[in-house]
Amino acid sequence: MRLRSPAWDGVVYWALDLETGGLDPRRDAILEVGMVPIRDAHVRLGEGWRTLVRPEGNVDPRSIAAHQLVARETRDAPPLGDVMREVDRRLDRHVLLVHHRGVDVPFLRRGYRDAGLRWRNPVVVDTVELLFRQARRAHRLRPELPAEPPTVNLSAAREQLGLPAYEAHDALSDAVATAELFLVLRQALGARTLRELT
Amino acid sequence: MPGAALDPVAYLRATPPFHAVPQPLFDRAASALEVGFYPAGARLVRVGGEPLRHLYVIRKGAVRLERHGQVLQVLEEGETFGYTSLITGRATLDVIVDEDLVAYRLPAAEFDALLADAQFAGHFAVGLAERLKSSLEHSAVATFQSDLSLPVGRLVRRPPLWIGAEATIGDAARLMSAERVSSLLVRGDPPGIVTDHDFRDRVLAAGRGPETPVAAVLSRPLRTAPEGAPLHEAWAVLIDAGVHHLPLVRGDEIMGVVTAGEVLRQSAQGPVAVLRGVERLASRESLPGYARKVTEMAAALLAGGLDAAAIAGFVARLNDALVARILRFAEADLGEPPAPYAWLALGSEGRMEQTLLTDQDNALVFGDDGAARRPYFEVLAERVNEDLELAGFPRCPGGFMARRWLGTLSEWRARFEGWLDRPAPQALLEAAIFLDWRRVAGRLDVSPLQAVLAGAADRPVFLRFLARAALGFKVPASLRLRLRGEASTLDLKQQGLAPVVFLARCYGLEVRPQARSTLERLAAAREAGALSAETEAAVAEAFRFLVGLRLRLQLQAVSEGRPPGDAVAMSSLPGIERSRLKESLRAVRGLQERAQLHFKVDF
């Protein structure tokens, strides 16, 4: 028997964003973590958390354009182990919310492993997946229109859905941006339970 | 938290009234900030249901405030809602999402904490009484503390110096010189004052000597002000009384004397400074620059937090002093007037509601005994109109200037009676501006003109015509005023102020014909029972707000080198002002509806 899935707003989501030294989760360093929770369908900015991470791994010079972090900034940051324990304490048994699980989840798993933590295998909600789902839904409703792949860039997707433009792109700002995007997509998809979002 | 403030926090910080909250208080509030998304059609609260538990600030989208299915207001970006719920603990309106809404919200406890800041609370407190009565949400204009509201008593440097009335001028001068003061109080009942000006004007210039008793030259009774009076009130007393020394009292006791100079130093651009400038005008050549000084003064007073109606009061006093000065120049050149005359200010100047200098609206009345010497008055009017133009009052395009509008008292009385008895469209346009006349200078007794105005109450046809003209001003429904689209700009004068001014005039003529200012006329209508207290309070508040907003926008235009106008784009206003503007227009439309019934105007 399948358990009944909880109502979508009956669970806590932790929106998370990582800035990394590249796209290879095996080699590249985690440089910054930002997290913010959604409780009762509202983004709780006051519980937002952001930290730099002392790099333990490769930093591809080309990645600097994306995260804008230079070595001087991260040198004195807390080590990865401390940061991952902070991430884990927050995430607990809640839902992990990311924009593109293909990048963030492997990095997190490696971070957990390096920190000697057991990966919790949390329920993951991915706003990129929700964007694809919404595009398919739109196509089903209006099959006469050409099927176009959705815009998945975080800022561009937000703009398309009428969310305000945010200037900053640090990990916490992007976590907040992801959380808001999630609230809009949840509504657009008409999802009522957590299962409909995973 | 490292790094710059999160975007939503920065947005909240930039949104009035949060912009002025002290940092620690703001930080505490911001730490409880939440973001919510609410789809179009969602109902956030229902009349009589659970009240809102948060203060909401709209970031994107719009909400409608409704009652019984009737839309009362639409709120957009930067506007705030929820505080009526928070303050009263009751849900008095339906709040429905009109367009997908992204809103930032603060829990009730944080809102309460912010209310500890007087300025923040002021935004929600002003007009709260009416808001609660009508259960209508609206925000309020800032009424903050400023230098101009400092008690004038703060300027007192020392206790006052006294001298007996039997002392001589020589004694007084020695004491003043030793104590380095410019005035002495004179014992007696009532007490008096002597100043260094008196020594010049009443002693030396009058050929008297140092043995003259003080009693012969003192001034009394004293013009005083309470030591707790705000600085701007002290300005008003100094200007109205035409004195340079102001004794300050606490109860029956005089605590000290402040001089115009001391008051003046509190603000170089204050009205006292401009008045001194007018008094020192040596000749017509020094007139240019007056308008700029008045503009700077208005800007300084507005920045100081003074209400626009009070600023207009100062502007009127200064303009009056200027006209008196200009008339003296003219009389000096043309010789004594052959008959007494009165210089009348018309329109907004007559109502003492002019803030920036606008077109001249004036007229000249002279005694019937001067009928044969009409050319004298024609030249006088011509000169004064020219000099006013030199000082920065443009010619009136409609032509309401004394050079054209002059005549004997009998001629004027006949003209007024004609307007009242035979109302016609052109006559009404003229009447409108002339009905607000005010004598600014001259010795002619103009009470016969006032007597004609008093007859307006007995002419319902005239009042009905006048009211119909006033109802011709179309005030937009506040619901239609949006950030974008057709109704996204407003003419503050034609679509907001003029309808109030015109209708207030109708009420004033009916119940208190000697009243001139719009606020005075509205109050008179309430006292006479012609307007409900609720309507009067709402319209008066709306009028003050509109005058203040217009002045602020016009000063901004002047400072940017643009001609001051009346058009305002909704998108140029912060949310709290947009809310207030829409609320004000609602009040104006409410007045129009009541006036239509009251004056029995049927279209």
Side-chain angles (χ1 to χ4, degrees), chain A residues 40-51 162-168 170 172-173 176 180 183-184 187, chain B residues 1-9 30-39 56 59-60 100 102-105:
Chain A
D40 300 327
H42 286 84
V43 186
R44 306 288 191 109
L45 296 176
E47 293 181 63
W49 173 69
R50 167 185 184 249
T51 183
L163 283 165
Y166 285 171
E167 290 292 323
D170 60 88
L172 178 55
S173 291
V176 172
E180 293 178 359
L183 292 178
V184 175
Q187 173 68 34
Chain B
M1 195 184 296
L6 282 172
D7 186 286
V9 175
S31 73
L33 193 64
E34 301 176 4
V35 187
F37 172 77
Y38 314 88
Y56 292 77
R59 176 63 193 262
K60 288 212 78 159
D100 282 356
V102 178
Y104 303 141
R105 66 177 206 181

Side-chain angles (χ1 to χ4, degrees), chain B residues 77-91:
Chain B
E77 281 156 48
E79 296 186 75
T80 306
F81 63 94
Y83 46 85
T84 308
S85 275
L86 294 179
I87 292 170
T88 64
R90 291 187 308 124

Side-chain angles (χ1 to χ4, degrees), chain A residues 39-95:
Chain A
R39 302 181 195 275
D40 300 327
H42 286 84
V43 186
R44 306 288 191 109
L45 296 176
E47 293 181 63
W49 173 69
R50 167 185 184 249
T51 183
L52 296 173
V53 185
R54 195 184 306 162
E56 295 177 11
N58 177 53
V59 178
D60 185 334
R62 285 170 300 179
S63 72
I64 293 174
H67 54 68
Q68 308 247 318
L69 296 168
V70 292
R72 187 165 39 81
E73 293 177 90
T74 50
R75 200 172 45 208
D76 300 326
L80 183 68
D82 292 359
V83 172
M84 283 300 129
R85 272 182 285 280
E86 280 296 303
V87 169
D88 189 57
R89 190 175 63 75
R90 288 181 167 75
L91 183 57
D92 199 7
R93 276 165 292 177
H94 303 308
V95 177

Side-chain angles (χ1 to χ4, degrees), chain B residues 43 45-50 66-68 91-95:
Chain B
R43 187 183 292 264
V45 63
R46 181 186 303 276
V47 174
E50 270 295 294
E66 298 188 356
R67 195 179 311 117
H68 312 309
T92 53
L93 291 163
D94 292 328
V95 180

Side-chain angles (χ1 to χ4, degrees), chain B residues 422-430 465:
Chain B
R422 293 177 296 281
Q426 178 59 28
L428 278 172
L429 181 68
E430 286 171 3
F465 271 91

Side-chain angles (χ1 to χ4, degrees), chain A:
Chain A
M1 190 184 93
R2 290 179 77 180
L3 289 174
R4 222 172 120 203
S5 179
W8 82 272
D9 54 357
V11 294
V12 175
Y13 304 78
W14 275 94
L16 176 144
D17 183 67
L18 302 177
E19 298 296 336
T20 59
L23 291 174
D24 185 344
R26 289 162 305 179
R27 296 185 301 117
D28 295 334
I30 296 175
L31 299 174
E32 187 184 18
V33 182
M35 292 177 80
V36 69
I38 300 174
R39 302 181 195 275
D40 300 327
H42 286 84
V43 186
R44 306 288 191 109
L45 296 176
E47 293 181 63
W49 173 69
R50 167 185 184 249
T51 183
L52 296 173
V53 185
R54 195 184 306 162
E56 295 177 11
N58 177 53
V59 178
D60 185 334
R62 285 170 300 179
S63 72
I64 293 174
H67 54 68
Q68 308 247 318
L69 296 168
V70 292
R72 187 165 39 81
E73 293 177 90
T74 50
R75 200 172 45 208
D76 300 326
L80 183 68
D82 292 359
V83 172
M84 283 300 129
R85 272 182 285 280
E86 280 296 303
V87 169
D88 189 57
R89 190 175 63 75
R90 288 181 167 75
L91 183 57
D92 199 7
R93 276 165 292 177
H94 303 308
V95 177
L96 177 64
L97 173 63
V98 292
H99 189 70
H100 194 21
R101 70 162 91 208
V103 175
D104 293 298
V105 171
F107 268 99
L108 272 182
R109 295 187 71 149
R110 199 216 55 217
Y112 265 65
R113 197 174 59 237
D114 292 356
L117 291 169
R118 189 177 59 80
W119 177 242
R120 287 176 180 271
N121 234 343
V123 174
V124 178
V125 172
D126 179 356
T127 40
V128 171
E129 277 176 19
L130 298 183
L131 283 166
F132 273 96
R133 204 179 295 178
Q134 196 217 7
R136 285 197 298 275
R137 185 183 149 99
H139 185 61
R140 263 203 317 280
L141 295 173
R142 305 287 303 273
E144 70 280 10
L145 295 178
E148 282 186 23
T151 305
V152 296
N153 170 280
L154 182 57
S155 301
R158 284 173 57 90
E159 195 190 331
Q160 261 185 10
L161 289 165
L163 283 165
Y166 285 171
E167 290 292 323
H169 290 292
D170 60 88
L172 178 55
S173 291
D174 281 352
V176 172
T178 301
E180 293 178 359
L181 180 62
F182 165 74
L183 292 178
V184 175
L185 287 169
R186 200 289 309 168
Q187 173 68 34
L189 291 166
R192 291 165 181 279
T193 63
L194 179 58
R195 184 177 297 132
E196 293 169 74
L197 292 162
T198 54

